[in-house]
Amino acid sequence: MSLKPRVPDFFRTIAFRLTLWYAGIFSISSCVAFGLFYFLATQTIQDQIDQELMDKAGYFRTAIQRNGIVGAQNLAVIEAQAAGEKSIFFRLLYPTGEVFASSHMSYWKDVFIDHDIIDRLMKKRAPLLRTAQVTGHDQKARIMYTFVARNVILQTGIAMTSHSRFIKAFKTVFGVSMAFIVMFSAISGFFLSGKALSGVEAMTRTANRITGHNLDERVPQSGSGDELDHLAITINRMLGRIADLIKSIREMSDNIAHDLKSPLTRIRGFAEMSLLQEDQEGMEGYRTMAANTIEESDRLLDMINTMLVISRAEAGEGEFDFQFLDLTAMITEACELFVPLAEDRGICLTCDVQAAVAVEADSRMLQRAFSNLLDNALKYTPEGGKVTVSVSAGQKDACICVADTGPGIAPDSQEKIFERFYRTESSRTSAGTGLGLSLARTIARQHKGEVSVESRPGQGAVFTMRLPFQITNS
Ligand code: ADP
């Protein structure tokens, strides 16, 4: 599998998508703003034209009142000439639609008389307006029908020149502006998203650089407290944890290799000696070799089993059978088993227990954990020393203490001794696997308890195992 970082396809990048979104939103908002402006502006222009038409109708009403139909005929000609005959026209009609007077109509000759509108006007009697295309000219006109006397209808129209000019100008401005807006929003969107995502790129680059060999490298943190900064902090924490795990896995595999090597070498040595023995010591010699081989193999198996118990328990797969048990009785019995060993080593073993203390625990596992603590105390305490076991009850938990008068443990080793395979320099000469305390702590933790040590070099050590009285429903 190639580890070479893959360069992402530009069109699939977040930067590209953000740019697209940015440009899209910017352009759509601009279109909406332009549309609104267009609607308001055209409406205003149209309102102005309509008002002008209404004003003209007003003049005609006055003219008819003052000078009759002749006055209106004259007014039509004069008004059209004054405004320009291409700008405005007037037609005076009877309700039948028959024209009886008009301004000069050569420009407006194709503007027909709409009988439907006249019919509607007859019913409503309120002015009616419409916008129409002037046939033959690239021009729109606003046309009004209204009564100016009882039986006289005025049809008047104004060329919408200003309206057309506005639309033309608007189209140009709109086109140029939109081109500029789309370009500007795409470029600025690209730069903005590039800037916002530059932290992500830095993280990707660092992550690509990090291999099994340079796990010490960290993603740069901006310190801004934003989401990317939080992500960088989280990734760095994760890298730290991975580095610690890899370190402990390396140490553990080194230790396993080292600790398996010695018994295996011894087993091989016994087998070799059996082969070379050539009957000098007879059957007895073979038996001794076989017994030694079995002993070493048992030690190996014990070590492997202990490792399995620890890993299974840590992975939450341990087969623990929790039941209420009398802790005092269990510890007293276990101590009795160790009395002969203590006597052999010339150590005074005392078991100081209070009244019965009951806890919920797996008795087999708890015995195993306690035996490791007591076995260590007897192993590391020199002849003539003292080992005291005590059991007491606190408010929430029971406490088992194993105190000895041995060499004690240096402060910097007091946490390390609970790691798998860790053994202090001075204890390397004595038998052991470095797994006992690790197992004791794992078992205690499976009981939601803890094992800790207090010690001053040269003044012995006190190992304390705390166990809550009840672990289910807690
Ligand atoms: P082991 O005893 O097989 O070496 P443990 O995990 O039981 O492994 O103990 C780890 C180390 O802690 C021991 O090698 C020893 O150096 C130290 N230790 C444990 N118990 C005591 C004790 N009571 N006094 C002094 N050192 C101890």
Side-chain angles (χ1 to χ4, degrees), residues 193-214:
S193 56
K195 199 165 159 37
L197 294 170
S198 61
V200 177
E201 267 177 28
M203 279 182 217
T204 313
R205 276 198 300 274
T206 315
N208 279 328
R209 275 201 306 273
I210 294 171
T211 62
H213 298 292
N214 59 357

Side-chain angles (χ1 to χ4, degrees), residues 372 376-377 379-380 404 407-409 417 422-424 427 431-438 461 463:
N372 279 330
N376 277 350
K379 187 162 67 178
Y380 297 112
D404 64 54
I409 299 148
I417 54 172
Y422 183 85
R423 308 191 74 202
T424 56
S427 60
T433 57
L435 288 172
L437 287 179
S438 173
F463 283 87

Side-chain angles (χ1 to χ4, degrees), residues 40-50 160 162-163 166:
L40 287 174
T42 49
Q43 203 58 46
T44 310
I45 295 172
Q46 191 174 299
D47 287 350
Q48 277 173 357
I49 294 173
D50 291 355
M160 295 174 82
S162 54
H163 187 270
F166 167 76

